[in-house]
Amino acid sequence: MQSTQTQLLRLSQGQLNLLERCPRQFQHTYLEQLHSPLDPEHEERQTLGSRFHLLMQQREMGLPIDTFLQEDTQLQSWMSAFANAAPEILNSTSNSQTFRESEHYRTLQVQDYLLTVIYDLLIADNQQAQILDWKTYPKPPNKRKLEQNWQTRLY
């Protein structure tokens, strides 16, 4: 008897948002693996956002970040603003009852699909959990758009 294994299709929030917004572009990008060149300005913003995510991950791991902050005024500005807005997240106390992990990966299988999310920071104890997601774009989306975003729905 031959066994047939179903190949699970892994889907992230970014892929689901694109599929909803433009199925044809989803097909080109993820199914046919055709990529168009990125706009240099968009690429620069993405790179800066990625650097902030890496900075926060390194910080959460207890590794030094001062050198990076000294070399990049934008990262320094964002970190300062974050420290003023939410010092309790940055000034965490070591509590054995609290679980903290950056880049926390979760999956959920729904039929032949594997839905995946990566929390930028997960803080949890036996009573509650906080999921934090770093956003580095200049203007936050409106509340309605945020509610409908696949990232929010998957979280």
Side-chain angles (χ1 to χ4, degrees):
M1 179 187 254
Q2 249 183 343
S3 89
T4 55
Q5 278 191 327
T6 303
Q7 182 69 26
L8 296 177
L9 180 60
R10 184 179 302 270
L11 293 171
S12 69
Q13 58 89 14
Q15 292 166 319
L16 290 168
N17 282 324
L18 180 59
L19 178 60
E20 189 171 70
R21 188 175 65 248
C22 183
R24 186 77 171 137
Q25 187 179 2
F26 175 87
Q27 178 184 346
H28 284 304
T29 304
Y30 295 107
L31 302 179
E32 297 170 358
Q33 306 228 340
L34 302 172
H35 300 282
S36 56
L38 285 177
D39 167 36
E41 189 176 307
H42 177 74
E43 194 171 7
E44 186 178 323
R45 286 193 307 268
Q46 270 191 321
T47 299
L48 188 55
S50 293
R51 291 188 66 201
F52 182 77
H53 277 75
L54 289 171
L55 178 82
M56 294 303 285
Q57 183 180 15
Q58 186 161 332
R59 188 205 160 281
E60 190 61 32
M61 294 170 67
L63 300 171
I65 61 170
D66 292 340
T67 305
F68 299 110
L69 294 175
Q70 291 169 1
E71 293 174 358
D72 192 317
T73 57
Q74 182 63 68
L75 289 179
Q76 188 177 49
S77 172
W78 284 345
M79 184 58 86
S80 177
F82 187 60
N84 288 332
E88 68 281 1
I89 293 170
L90 294 178
N91 300 326
S92 64
T93 57
S94 293
N95 179 348
S96 62
Q97 303 291 17
T98 301
F99 174 82
R100 290 179 67 104
E101 186 174 71
S102 65
E103 299 300 308
H104 183 80
Y105 187 83
R106 290 278 175 162
T107 60
L108 173 67
Q109 183 175 343
V110 178
Q111 296 173 357
D112 294 340
Y113 301 96
L114 196 58
L115 303 177
T116 63
V117 296
I118 300 174
Y119 305 146
D120 290 338
L121 179 61
L122 175 64
I123 304 172
D125 60 27
N126 60 356
Q127 297 292 316
Q128 64 182 351
Q130 286 181 292
I131 299 168
L132 293 120
D133 188 75
W134 317 130
K135 297 297 183 201
T136 56
Y137 34 78
K139 184 179 175 190
N142 68 46
K143 185 178 178 182
R144 178 79 177 132
K145 188 174 181 179
L146 210 61
E147 288 171 351
Q148 294 303 311
N149 188 290
W150 271 102
Q151 185 175 35
T152 306
R153 291 156 59 184
L154 289 175
Y155 281 8

